[in-house]
Amino acid sequence: MPELTFQAASRVLRSAITAGVPTFISGPPGIGKSTMVRSVASELGLPLRDVRVALLDAVDLRGLPFPDSANERTKWLPPEFLPAKGSTGSGILFLDEINAAPPGVQAACYQLVLDRRIGEYELPDGWAICAAGNRVSDKTVVYSMPSALRNRFLTIELRADLQEWLDWAKAMAGESSQCHPLITDFLSFRPSLLIDLPESLRDSPFPTPRSWTLLSRLLRAAETAWTEFPPTLAHSGERELLRSMLEGTVGHAAADFMSFIDSTADREFVKQFLADPTGSDVPRDPPRRMVLISALAERVRSDMDGARMAAKCLMRRLPDKEWREKLRSDVIKRCPEMLREPEFREDVLR
């Protein structure tokens, strides 16, 4: 079945919630399945009950039995994590990691998903059901979802989209971007490392949108606390700490990221090009060239530091069509009015 980007999947999920159709979101670990559900719930203004199904036993969903002595029967107390029976209002019941639960626990979800009830408990009318889980092919701890349960869901296969993620990562949150610029510059240069889980490295850390976000928080903390950031060879202790951070979050991507940091740590060439775009050298090595393009693209919207003139000059001076395409794409995305400039017309790349 087709894989959807985060934005497309979010639209499908919103429609499913509105229609009251149970939805299962599938995708590799760390891609943002849980984040997407929380984001959609926030956009719709709905409360979210996050239930980690993998941590439950079958009896946890049904509830605890207690004696009804007057009628000589047994009744069940539903768990607190389920919306109160008969309550009004709307919300989302999120069954996360559903296929990491043993088959017996998944079977307990059958009636809840299809009939919106378990035993005597009934899910209130305004509540939608959404579930998420990793794929069996990812070699994580998951069980094949029984066909009877799978058939009760609309299934959304989620895939990572670099440009979508970069747009989010470069958006401002408070006084800084969502993600450290070293990471966004690196992934613009090495897009295949946004998410990469080689078969031979299943037991080691690996790069995903989630692990890059974790690394960003570590880099910002180091930037504040360390004497020099990024640390040069003169600060060997801090360089080892940085290497440990990289290897502990993005695994095999650490070596390439460290090389990128070393080759682009001195951003003076960006300032020089902005100050004199006709006389300054255009970087020859790809990492620095990528950093320069990213820096200009980020500045063109407000024309900071004369970025529009510098971008037009760089477009004329870049020798390779691939690099001109990259510059044009990044600039137009952030400042569509640059299409009026002769250097950025579509026919300039032919």
Side-chain angles (χ1 to χ4, degrees), residues 73-90:
R73 304 180 62 158
T74 297
K75 291 188 175 182
W76 301 80
L77 287 173
E80 187 179 24
F81 57 73
L82 293 176
K85 181 179 177 180
S87 61
T88 59
S90 301

Side-chain angles (χ1 to χ4, degrees), residues 65-76 120:
F66 72 97
D68 179 4
S69 302
N71 297 304
E72 297 183 342
R73 304 180 62 158
T74 297
K75 291 188 175 182
W76 301 80
E120 297 177 355

Side-chain angles (χ1 to χ4, degrees), residues 16-183:
I17 290 171
T18 302
V21 175
T23 308
F24 174 64
I25 303 164
S26 175
I31 196 172
K33 299 181 292 293
S34 304
T35 299
M36 186 181 76
V37 176
R38 289 194 293 268
S39 175
V40 169
S42 177
E43 290 172 9
L44 296 176
L46 296 175
L48 180 72
R49 294 287 182 95
D50 188 339
V51 180
R52 302 298 165 120
V53 183
L55 303 179
L56 302 179
D57 290 323
V59 70
D60 293 330
L61 282 168
R62 179 74 185 266
L64 293 177
F66 72 97
D68 179 4
S69 302
N71 297 304
E72 297 183 342
R73 304 180 62 158
T74 297
K75 291 188 175 182
W76 301 80
L77 287 173
E80 187 179 24
F81 57 73
L82 293 176
K85 181 179 177 180
S87 61
T88 59
S90 301
I92 299 174
L93 178 62
F94 181 33
L95 305 176
D96 202 3
E97 301 176 357
I98 188 171
N99 57 347
V105 179
Q106 292 189 40
C109 296
Y110 285 13
Q111 190 181 20
L112 180 61
V113 174
L114 182 63
D115 301 326
R116 300 176 59 84
R117 64 182 300 146
I118 295 181
E120 297 177 355
Y121 171 81
E122 294 183 25
L123 187 68
D125 289 340
W127 283 75
I129 296 176
C130 180
N134 296 324
R135 306 168 302 185
V136 175
S137 60
D138 294 317
K139 307 297 183 183
T140 53
V141 181
V142 299
Y143 300 87
S144 294
M145 189 181 294
S147 57
L149 180 57
R150 169 77 78 165
N151 191 241
R152 286 160 164 76
F153 287 112
L154 159 69
T155 299
I156 297 174
E157 292 283 351
L158 193 61
R159 69 173 174 86
D161 181 85
L162 177 67
Q163 192 55 58
E164 225 178 55
W165 188 82
L166 287 175
D167 288 344
W168 169 83
K170 292 181 179 182
M172 297 301 291
E175 297 182 357
S176 60
S177 58
Q178 300 268 21
C179 200
H180 198 284
L182 280 176
I183 293 175

Side-chain angles (χ1 to χ4, degrees), residues 187-204:
L187 291 177
S188 295
F189 174 59
R190 291 293 306 277
S192 64
L193 290 178
L194 174 62
I195 181 166
D196 185 34
L197 177 52
E199 186 68 35
S200 60
L201 298 172
R202 295 285 181 177
D203 295 328
S204 304

Side-chain angles (χ1 to χ4, degrees), residues 143-335:
Y143 300 87
S144 294
M145 189 181 294
S147 57
L149 180 57
R150 169 77 78 165
N151 191 241
R152 286 160 164 76
F153 287 112
L154 159 69
T155 299
I156 297 174
E157 292 283 351
L158 193 61
R159 69 173 174 86
D161 181 85
L162 177 67
Q163 192 55 58
E164 225 178 55
W165 188 82
L166 287 175
D167 288 344
W168 169 83
K170 292 181 179 182
M172 297 301 291
E175 297 182 357
S176 60
S177 58
Q178 300 268 21
C179 200
H180 198 284
L182 280 176
I183 293 175
T184 53
D185 285 347
F186 173 70
L187 291 177
S188 295
F189 174 59
R190 291 293 306 277
S192 64
L193 290 178
L194 174 62
I195 181 166
D196 185 34
L197 177 52
E199 186 68 35
S200 60
L201 298 172
R202 295 285 181 177
D203 295 328
S204 304
F206 56 95
T208 67
R210 177 169 58 202
S211 61
W212 286 116
T213 303
L214 292 175
L215 178 59
S216 174
R217 290 160 57 186
L218 291 170
L219 295 183
R220 291 199 188 281
E223 195 169 24
T224 301
W226 293 357
T227 305
E228 181 184 53
F229 186 89
T232 60
L233 293 173
H235 294 80
S236 58
E238 291 175 347
R239 280 182 65 84
E240 285 306 308
L241 288 177
L242 177 59
R243 193 179 302 277
S244 296
M245 291 177 182
L246 302 183
E247 293 177 351
T249 50
V250 296
H252 61 279
D256 287 341
F257 190 30
M258 196 76 178
S259 296
F260 180 86
I261 290 174
D262 287 341
S263 64
T264 62
D266 176 14
R267 303 293 177 99
E268 194 63 32
F269 64 94
V270 174
K271 296 179 182 178
Q272 291 173 355
F273 193 89
L274 285 166
D276 183 12
T278 57
S280 299
D281 292 335
V282 175
R284 292 178 177 272
D285 56 301
R288 284 178 163 242
R289 190 173 287 184
M290 182 63 71
V291 168
L292 178 59
I293 288 175
S294 295
L296 295 182
E298 288 301 313
R299 288 168 167 80
V300 291
R301 184 182 291 112
S302 59
D303 198 20
M304 185 187 306
D305 303 321
R308 295 185 186 183
M309 184 184 73
K312 290 188 290 183
C313 184
L314 182 60
M315 180 64 89
R316 293 191 297 267
R317 297 184 61 192
L318 283 171
D320 304 311
K321 179 180 177 181
E322 292 77 10
W323 286 104
R324 294 198 301 274
E325 287 177 339
K326 175 62 178 172
L327 174 61
R328 182 179 185 276
S329 172
D330 285 9
V331 166
I332 297 304
K333 188 171 186 63
R334 288 160 181 77
C335 186

